[in-house]
Amino acid sequence: MKQRMERLQRFGASLPFAKVYFREDWATIYFEVHGKMFGTMSPQATEQAMITLKGLPEKNEELREIYEDITPGYHMNKKHWNSIALRSTVLTDEEFEQMIYLSYQLVWQNLPAKIRQAK
């Protein structure tokens, strides 16, 4: 699981203008783009470790019904955020990366046009 967590942090940090770091005031790994959160992840590789990501509301519901490792976002708006158990064996690292990328895209598209066009 530690390797998965490191991989997901590297992937998140590789996205344009994204930063991934330990946020002390929340005691979590924090994924952000231009100061806007697109994910949080448990800092320790434990059985309870999870990543919380933004998603499309209708797709979030569908994922929760399909996968027992996906639940409504912990400490987040349950409609827009899912928490995914990092111990999952039914979800691949690539599927986790796809969910991170979608979360990033959803936050990116809500940034002011001036910021998005300043690439």
Side-chain angles (χ1 to χ4, degrees), residues 39-111:
T40 63
M41 187 168 67
S42 302
Q44 304 295 324
T46 66
E47 275 299 302
Q48 292 74 37
M50 64 178 67
I51 188 168
T52 301
L53 300 165
K54 194 167 194 169
L56 298 168
E58 60 280 1
K59 185 71 174 169
N60 285 346
E61 284 291 327
E62 183 182 320
L63 290 170
R64 293 173 199 157
E65 290 173 16
I66 296 170
Y67 301 105
E68 66 180 40
D69 290 335
I70 299 179
T71 57
Y74 183 69
H75 287 306
M76 302 288 186
N77 179 314
K78 310 297 185 223
K79 182 177 178 182
H80 294 279
W81 295 82
N82 276 338
S83 290
I84 307 103
L86 291 166
R87 70 176 183 279
S88 178
T89 56
V90 294
L91 294 165
T92 66
D93 288 348
E94 291 78 15
E95 288 171 311
F96 274 95
E97 288 174 350
Q98 288 171 359
M99 289 187 274
I100 290 170
Y101 185 69
L102 173 63
S103 184
Y104 167 86
Q105 288 288 78
L106 290 170
V107 172
W108 176 260
Q109 72 188 19
N110 282 321
L111 292 173

Side-chain angles (χ1 to χ4, degrees), residues 2-44:
K2 187 174 185 328
Q3 287 178 325
R4 171 177 275 175
M5 292 172 74
E6 290 169 354
R7 175 180 174 156
L8 299 180
Q9 287 178 69
R10 278 192 309 274
F11 178 78
S14 76
L15 298 170
F17 308 103
K19 294 179 188 172
V20 177
Y21 58 92
F22 180 74
R23 185 169 167 170
E24 288 192 34
D25 57 337
W26 288 13
T28 192
I29 304 297
Y30 193 77
F31 294 67
E32 73 167 56
V33 58
H34 281 288
K36 299 290 183 183
M37 178 181 68
F38 68 93
T40 63
M41 187 168 67
S42 302
Q44 304 295 324

